[in-house]
Amino acid sequence: GEFYFILFMFYIAFTAFIVLNVFIGLHVDTVSKASEMDNDAVEDELHVGARTRAFKEFMLKQGNPSTSCKRPCITWPKLEQSMEASEVSSFLGLADVADKEECKRVFDRVDTQSVGKVELDAFVNGILEHVVPSVKLELMTVANETRRCFDQQVEFFESSKKRFDEVLRRLEPGSGSVERRCQATAP
């Protein structure tokens, strides 16, 4: 009778609590992973920044053979001579550019006018294009996954609210459903 009805209602409430707890746990886990990836991205950015500064300083110390550029420029022969330096090899290692041929391909891609010289910042950006998009793509994926989980949680909470509102409506005094059940089970 009424005892089993109350026990059943407790079971529903307890089960809903457990399910909500799992959803909240998933959401917190997703957010913490996004935060961890963000921290890793900041750390990587600082690491990239240090290598980039060291590379730029090294190339500027080598001299600016081209006076026709308004900004510091590098030529392929000067870069090729400097590839054994730790600052240059460390910077090129950011984009896994390990050999001269691959470095020449990046240099030629940046050298759109095929004059054999490029601005230092343009070359740096050409190298960094190999590194940065993958990190941004991962962050975008985590953000989309978080949004999807949040939408599912909102949908679940709304459906749960409707169900609990219906249960409360039936349990209200004067609704008649509880009284009818009690009368039906009474001897």
Side-chain angles (χ1 to χ4, degrees), residues 3-173:
F3 173 74
Y4 290 110
F5 179 74
I6 292 172
L7 183 65
F8 181 68
M9 295 309 291
F10 176 75
Y11 170 75
I12 290 174
F14 183 74
T15 304
F17 176 76
I18 296 298
V19 169
L20 292 175
N21 195 18
V22 169
F23 277 121
I24 289 171
L26 289 173
H27 184 67
V28 168
D29 184 52
T30 304
V31 170
S32 67
K33 285 180 183 176
S35 174
E36 183 179 313
M37 286 183 67
D38 191 37
N39 289 341
D40 291 344
V42 168
E43 190 176 299
D44 289 345
E45 184 67 30
L46 292 174
H47 189 63
V48 167
R51 286 182 176 182
T52 302
R53 278 189 301 281
F55 171 73
K56 284 182 173 181
E57 289 171 4
F58 178 81
M59 292 308 290
L60 290 173
K61 286 179 186 175
Q62 298 301 310
N64 187 8
S66 175
T67 57
S68 63
C69 291
K70 293 179 182 177
R71 296 188 177 120
C73 292
I74 57 173
T75 61
W76 172 247
K78 187 61 95 173
L79 182 61
E80 188 177 23
Q81 290 173 357
S82 304
M83 284 188 71
E84 299 302 320
S86 63
E87 293 90 346
V88 176
S89 62
S90 175
F91 175 71
L92 295 176
L94 288 172
D96 295 328
V97 175
D99 56 3
K100 290 182 182 183
E101 292 80 25
E102 196 170 354
C103 186
K104 177 69 171 152
R105 281 194 297 271
V106 172
F107 187 89
D108 289 341
R109 189 183 50 175
V110 175
D111 185 14
T112 57
Q113 297 174 350
S114 299
V115 293
K117 65 182 174 188
V118 295
E119 289 184 2
L120 182 59
D121 288 336
F123 181 73
V124 167
N125 290 339
I127 292 292
L128 292 180
E129 283 176 359
H130 288 290
V131 179
V132 175
S134 63
V135 173
K136 287 184 179 178
L137 182 62
E138 289 173 9
L139 288 174
M140 287 173 48
T141 303
V142 170
N144 287 336
E145 181 67 19
T146 302
R147 260 187 243 111
R148 187 185 65 78
C149 288
F150 179 75
D151 291 343
Q152 286 179 343
Q153 288 176 354
V154 167
E155 185 179 314
F156 176 76
F157 289 139
E158 288 173 353
S159 69
S160 296
K161 183 183 181 304
K162 288 178 185 175
R163 290 181 182 157
F164 279 116
D165 287 346
E166 178 64 26
V167 168
L168 287 175
R169 188 183 59 76
R170 290 183 180 181
L171 289 176
E172 287 178 352

